[in-house]
């Protein structure tokens, strides 16, 4: 994506996250549930009727604004422009919004993702880059952030690390 800031004085070349995908396995049945959020399917009001698609035990379904569904321990809920997936001790929120108002090129919509532990995380054996960051409770986790100059051209380096 390319966008302008500071009254057009700064041009930024960067990226947006535009998709989120989650996979969970229920306990003890082992049923697989998946969910995907697609920013490209959002409309001009930042909502949609098919921007979240999911499966429960291999059976596909689509969620739009105001819909929710339970699949074993995984709960899917879609509000106006936010999908919330609750899985075991985790709450994942994906919020769709327009890309930067000074957008020159790139996707019209992007997503912001938040991940929150709602209980003792150790019992869910956190793994992977995201899970490991929750393995040390009480320590702040602040990712990389870009520091934009006032003018000129800038290429982002944080790339979804902040």
């Amino acid at each position: 994506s390319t966008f302008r800031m500071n009254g057009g004085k700064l041009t930024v070349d960067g990226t947006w996250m535009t998709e989120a995908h989650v996979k969970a396995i229920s306990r003890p049945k082992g049923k697989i549930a998946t969910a995907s959020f697609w920013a490209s399917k959002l409309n001009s009001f930042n909502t949609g009727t098919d921007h979240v698609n999911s499966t429960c035990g291999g059976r596909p379904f689509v969620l739009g604004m105001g819909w929710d569904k339970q699949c074993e321990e995984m709960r899917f809920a879609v509000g106006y422009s936010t999908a919330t997936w609750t899985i075991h001790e985790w709450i994942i929120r994906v919020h769709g919004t327009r890309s930067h108002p000074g957008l020159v090129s790139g996707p019209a919509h992007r997503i912001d993702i938040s991940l929150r532990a709602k209980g003792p995380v150790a019992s869910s054996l956190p793994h992977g880059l995201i899970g490991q960051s929750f393995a040390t409770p009480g320590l702040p986790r602040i990712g990389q952030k870009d520091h934009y100059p006032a003018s000129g051209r800038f290429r982002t380096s944080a790339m979804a690390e902040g």
Side-chain angles (χ1 to χ4, degrees):
S1 293
T2 300
F3 56 95
R4 292 197 173 94
M5 297 175 56
N6 301 342
K9 295 179 197 167
L10 175 63
T11 301
V12 178
D13 296 311
T15 59
W16 304 116
M17 289 190 290
T18 58
E19 299 174 11
H21 308 281
V22 175
K23 179 178 180 179
I25 301 172
S26 69
R27 296 178 287 208
K29 293 181 182 178
K31 186 182 279 189
I32 295 174
T34 64
S36 295
F37 189 111
W38 306 89
S40 62
K41 294 192 174 198
L42 293 170
N43 61 29
S44 60
F45 299 105
N46 290 333
T47 190
T49 58
D50 64 348
H51 59 292
V52 177
N53 59 30
S54 306
T55 64
C56 178
R59 300 178 80 169
F61 59 95
V62 175
L63 293 172
M65 183 177 70
W67 299 353
D68 65 82
K69 184 171 178 75
Q70 186 82 28
C71 174
E72 302 296 330
E73 296 96 347
M74 186 169 180
R75 182 173 180 270
F76 307 86
V78 178
Y80 185 77
S81 58
T82 303
T84 304
W85 304 316
T86 306
I87 311 153
H88 308 295
E89 292 90 11
W90 300 98
I91 299 172
I92 302 163
R93 282 201 171 88
V94 181
H95 177 73
T97 189
R98 287 183 185 86
S99 296
H100 197 277
L103 186 67
V104 175
S105 65
H109 292 88
R110 64 178 176 83
I111 60 171
D112 294 322
I113 301 171
S114 69
L115 181 67
R116 183 168 52 106
K118 65 175 186 168
V121 180
S123 68
S124 64
L125 302 173
H127 63 282
L129 293 175
I130 294 173
Q132 288 176 8
S133 69
F134 282 85
T136 52
L139 296 177
R141 293 156 200 89
I142 301 169
Q144 182 179 346
K145 293 183 182 181
D146 288 316
H147 300 284
Y148 299 117
S151 62
R153 190 164 198 116
F154 181 80
R155 183 178 178 94
T156 61
S157 62
M159 304 294 180
E161 297 176 38

